[in-house]
């Protein structure tokens, strides 16, 4: 999708949608993975290379809000990005959302302390200024650029700033560079099942940074299988405020253990001594398959670093197909001058030098033949049916949870999808109507989703405001959501 087109709204329930990180933010690791930082950690600067060219990244923040963005700020801004994409990623960068919705989407239990922490986090994201010199990828132009920005360009609340709570509506505006990148689809997928299992913010932040580093920004659809990083350089990329090898290992080890326990990593192995130490990561999406392929190719004499680089560049499926072709030719009597050189040559070949023999069937083709036939219903039809079932089940659970949960759900939906159609006073009136029973929260939420999908949002908003302004409430929003037990 080009930068001039909006991201399509996805009306499916959260658990049925794919979530994404913006790839620049994820790769650069702008938010320190540390859960707690010293009071004087108000700036950092790192220098590195991208495509052989020098690049620089710096952050300057204010002590008033707790220093540089760190810890839970990763979860908060990831939630904001996800909510922004769900709202259609408008070119204006504007998002109207409840504080409750941000916390829920971030996986944080909404309570008094978490609302106070959210307030601090939002202001860190608003006031910390970043400068990226030749380090920000313009996905439309396919080039590295220099930018200066804060995560949030605008931030406003309903009510007093010091009293962010359950009913607070937040109006914010994302940095235009981030908005442009999201609308250009410079994104990478997030594993929500994994994130929901990871308990520590540090491990979640390290997962995002590691996962982003797996993606070549020039080929973002091809994740690597392994990653090797220098320990001290990695500490800087994690935005740790120390570079002593022992302290770095002590900080990272608990996150490594949790990521290994949850299957994301197969291993995180240290090698070398002192500042020259390296960390070798092996990712866990099919580790036995990746390890087996590396084992097969190294048995033919190919060096492990060369094999790893090729596996990272090609991906598991292509690597396996080409390795199988090379082994097939060797088994049929082909005698190269150098077996390792031949293996590498076949792995690098795009098909012109070593065409597939007539009797050879690549593993990927064999697997596709073994897959059972799928029903004739389209993928969209199946997804729509699944989404409807999930929505009805969610509504049933909300009915059992009581009025407060239903009101928060309805307000989260309304502000996210239709917030720009309401001012602060109107949103407060809607909340009161939901709380005192003049309108049914689940009916309002369902009708709001339907109105957005059918592109008749202004009509829905006008009808809702008419009903709220003229009680007793009759008609459109009086009944319960279809087939939902009371």
């Amino acid at each position: 999708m080009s930068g001039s087109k909006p991201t399509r709204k996805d009306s499916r329930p959260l658990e049925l949608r794919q979530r994404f990180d913006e790839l620049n933010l994820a790769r650069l690791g702008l938010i320190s993975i540390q859960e707690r930082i010293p009071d004087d950690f108000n700036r950092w600067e790192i220098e590195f290379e991208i495509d052989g060219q020098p690049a620089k990244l710096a952050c300057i923040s204010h002590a008033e809000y707790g220093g540089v963005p760190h810890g839970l700020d990763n979860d908060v801004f990831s939630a904001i990005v996800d909510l922004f994409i769900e709202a259609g990623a408008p070119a204006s960068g504007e998002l109207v959302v409840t504080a409750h919705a941000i916390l829920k989407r971030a996986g944080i239990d909404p309570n008094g302390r978490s609302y106070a922490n959210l307030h601090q986090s939002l202001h860190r994201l608003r006031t910390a200024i970043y400068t990226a010199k030749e380090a920000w990828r313009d996905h439309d132009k396919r080039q590295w650029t220099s930018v200066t920005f804060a995560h949030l360009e605008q931030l406003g609340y309903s009510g007093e700033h010091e009293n962010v709570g359950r009913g607070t509506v937040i109006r914010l505006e994302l940095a235009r560079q981030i908005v442009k990148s999201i609308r250009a689809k410079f994104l990478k997928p997030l594993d929500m099942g994994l994130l929901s299992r990871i308990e520590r913010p540090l491990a979640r932040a390290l997962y995002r940074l590691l996962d982003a580093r797996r993606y070549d920004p020039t080929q973002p659809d091809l994740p690597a299988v392994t990653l090797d990083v220098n320990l001290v350089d990695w500490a800087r990329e994690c935005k740790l405020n120390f570079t002593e090898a022992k302290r770095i290992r002590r900080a990272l080890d608990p996150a490594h253990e949790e990521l290994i326990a949850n299957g994301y990593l197969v291993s995180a192995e240290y090698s070398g001594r002192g500042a020259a130490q390296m960390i070798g990561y092996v990712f866990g999406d099919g580790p036995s398959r990746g390890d087996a392929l590396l084992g097969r190719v190294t048995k033919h004499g190919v060096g492990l670093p060369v094999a790893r680089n090729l596996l990272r560049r090609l991906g598991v499926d292509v690597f396996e197909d080409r390795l199988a072709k090379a082994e097939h030719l060797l088994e049929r009597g082909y005698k190269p001058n150098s077996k390792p050189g031949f293996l590498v040559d076949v792995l690098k070949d795009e098909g012109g030098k070593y065409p597939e023999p007539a009797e050879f069937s690549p593993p990927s083709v064999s697997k596709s033949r073994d897959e059972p036939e799928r029903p004739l219903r389209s993928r969209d039809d199946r997804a729509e049916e699944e989404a409807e079932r999930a929505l009805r089940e969610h509504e049933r659970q909300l009915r059992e949870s009581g009025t407060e949960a239903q009101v928060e759900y309805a307000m989260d939906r309304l502000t996210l999808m239709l917030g720009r159609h309401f001012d602060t006073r109107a949103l407060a009136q809607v909340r009161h109507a939901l709380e005192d029973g003049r309108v049914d929260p689940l009916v309002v939420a369902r009708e709001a989703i339907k109105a957005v999908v059918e592109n008749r949002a202004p009509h829905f908003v006008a009808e809702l405001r008419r009903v709220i302004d003229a009680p007793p409430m009759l008609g459109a929003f009086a009944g319960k959501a279809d087939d939902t037990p009371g």
Side-chain angles (χ1 to χ4, degrees):
M1 181 175 70
S2 69
S4 61
K5 297 179 182 178
T7 302
R8 185 178 182 272
K9 293 182 177 71
D10 192 334
S11 62
R12 291 176 294 170
L14 176 63
E15 56 271 20
L16 293 181
R17 295 189 300 106
Q18 175 68 67
R19 283 182 63 177
F20 297 92
D21 260 352
E22 192 281 322
L23 196 45
N24 276 305
L25 299 176
R27 289 187 75 256
L28 294 174
L30 300 180
I31 299 173
S32 171
I33 72 170
Q34 287 178 251
E35 295 175 34
R36 296 176 180 81
I37 61 173
D39 294 337
D40 61 352
F41 190 20
N42 299 321
R43 61 175 60 206
W44 50 256
E45 182 177 307
I46 62 171
E47 297 182 3
F48 50 99
E49 286 191 357
I50 295 181
D51 289 347
Q53 300 298 317
K56 183 183 291 186
L57 189 64
C59 174
I60 299 176
S61 64
H62 299 277
E64 178 183 0
Y65 297 112
V68 299
H70 63 278
L72 281 174
D73 300 345
N74 271 294
D75 294 321
V76 168
F77 198 70
S78 178
I80 288 172
V81 167
D82 190 53
L83 290 163
F84 179 71
I85 293 173
E86 184 179 338
S92 66
E94 184 182 14
L95 178 66
V96 182
V97 65
T98 63
H100 177 270
I102 294 177
L103 291 175
K104 292 292 286 185
R105 190 60 58 92
I108 302 170
D109 182 39
N111 56 48
R113 182 173 182 177
S114 59
Y115 282 114
N117 290 340
L118 175 63
H119 173 258
Q120 290 286 102
S121 178
L122 290 171
H123 280 275
R124 282 193 292 271
L125 295 168
R126 172 68 186 93
T127 59
I129 304 300
Y130 294 90
T131 301
K133 294 185 178 180
E134 300 301 324
W136 187 270
R137 184 74 175 175
D138 186 320
H139 192 51
D140 283 334
K141 296 180 180 179
R142 300 294 193 270
Q143 64 185 27
W144 299 101
T145 62
S146 297
V147 297
T148 298
F149 65 96
H151 283 86
L152 303 177
E153 290 188 357
Q154 300 291 335
L155 175 63
Y157 306 87
S158 63
E160 297 295 328
H161 289 196
E162 292 77 12
N163 296 313
V164 173
R166 183 169 59 89
T168 301
V169 175
I170 301 170
R171 293 179 183 270
L172 53 84
E173 184 179 322
L174 277 68
R176 61 181 178 81
Q177 294 89 348
I178 298 173
V179 173
K180 180 182 177 184
S181 195
I182 290 172
R183 288 168 62 83
K185 290 252 179 138
F186 193 47
L187 307 168
K188 75 166 195 65
L190 281 171
D191 185 337
M192 290 312 301
L194 174 66
L195 276 173
S196 67
R197 296 193 303 271
I198 299 175
E199 295 182 358
R200 294 189 60 179
L202 177 98
R204 292 196 295 271
L206 185 61
Y207 154 69
R208 291 192 182 99
L209 184 57
L210 275 170
D211 207 56
R213 282 294 303 272
R214 299 180 65 185
Y215 288 80
D216 181 343
T218 64
Q219 295 179 313
D221 295 329
L222 189 64
V225 178
T226 63
L227 176 67
D228 299 303
V229 293
N230 174 268
L231 182 69
V232 175
D233 289 343
W234 191 234
R236 295 191 180 104
E237 292 200 41
C238 292
K239 311 307 180 292
L240 303 180
N241 70 313
F242 46 82
T243 55
E244 298 86 354
K246 288 183 179 179
R247 291 188 67 188
I248 297 168
R249 291 179 62 157
R250 194 160 55 242
L252 295 179
D253 281 348
H256 289 163
E257 291 170 5
E258 191 166 0
L259 293 176
I260 291 170
N262 281 284
Y264 177 70
L265 291 175
V266 175
S267 61
E269 297 181 354
Y270 299 97
S271 60
R273 298 172 65 91
Q277 286 185 73
M278 301 290 292
I279 311 177
Y281 290 109
V282 178
F283 297 101
D285 44 353
S288 58
R289 188 175 166 208
D291 287 346
L293 291 173
L294 290 174
R296 277 167 58 186
V297 77
T298 54
K299 284 180 180 178
H300 292 293
V302 177
L304 183 58
V306 173
R308 277 184 172 174
N309 286 335
L310 285 168
L311 184 59
R312 180 184 300 125
R313 194 179 80 191
L314 299 174
V316 174
D317 288 337
V318 174
F319 188 98
E320 184 177 22
D321 281 353
R322 293 182 185 176
L323 175 58
K325 178 166 64 176
E327 291 174 335
H328 176 87
L329 292 171
L330 290 171
E331 290 169 1
R332 294 302 183 276
Y334 183 77
K335 300 199 178 292
N337 292 329
S338 166
K339 187 186 289 187
F342 167 70
L343 264 292
V344 171
D345 205 26
V346 175
L347 287 169
K348 290 181 177 179
D349 180 48
E350 297 297 327
K353 187 174 181 181
Y354 297 97
E356 292 180 6
E359 69 277 15
F360 173 69
S361 179
S364 61
V365 174
S366 300
K367 288 174 187 172
S368 65
R369 287 173 180 164
D370 292 338
E371 290 181 357
E373 288 190 21
R374 298 189 178 276
L376 294 178
R377 287 183 305 149
S378 73
R379 180 186 300 176
D380 288 344
D381 287 341
R382 295 194 301 274
E384 186 174 343
E385 291 175 10
E386 189 176 357
E388 180 65 21
R389 284 195 298 271
L391 180 59
R392 290 183 183 278
E393 173 60 21
H394 189 45
E395 288 174 349
R396 185 192 66 76
Q397 293 173 358
L398 286 168
R399 287 286 181 204
E400 296 176 352
S401 298
T403 300
E404 182 178 318
Q406 295 170 37
V407 170
E408 295 304 335
Y409 171 72
M411 288 301 298
D412 290 351
R413 295 288 89 196
L414 282 172
T415 53
L416 179 61
M417 297 185 296
L418 301 167
R420 66 183 182 276
H421 295 280
F422 295 93
D423 57 25
T424 300
R425 179 174 174 274
L427 284 171
Q429 290 175 329
V430 171
R431 176 177 282 277
H432 290 319
L434 295 170
E435 290 174 337
D436 65 21
R438 279 181 286 153
V439 290
D440 186 288
L442 297 190
V443 173
V444 169
R446 178 179 275 271
E447 290 300 317
I449 295 171
K450 186 177 178 182
V452 170
V453 172
E454 296 177 355
N455 199 28
R456 53 180 183 82
H459 174 78
F460 167 83
V461 172
E463 176 66 13
L464 178 60
R465 296 182 73 162
R466 183 189 68 77
V467 167
I468 289 174
D469 290 340
M473 190 270 296
L474 298 172
F477 307 113
K480 294 180 179 178
D482 295 343
D483 297 336
T484 305

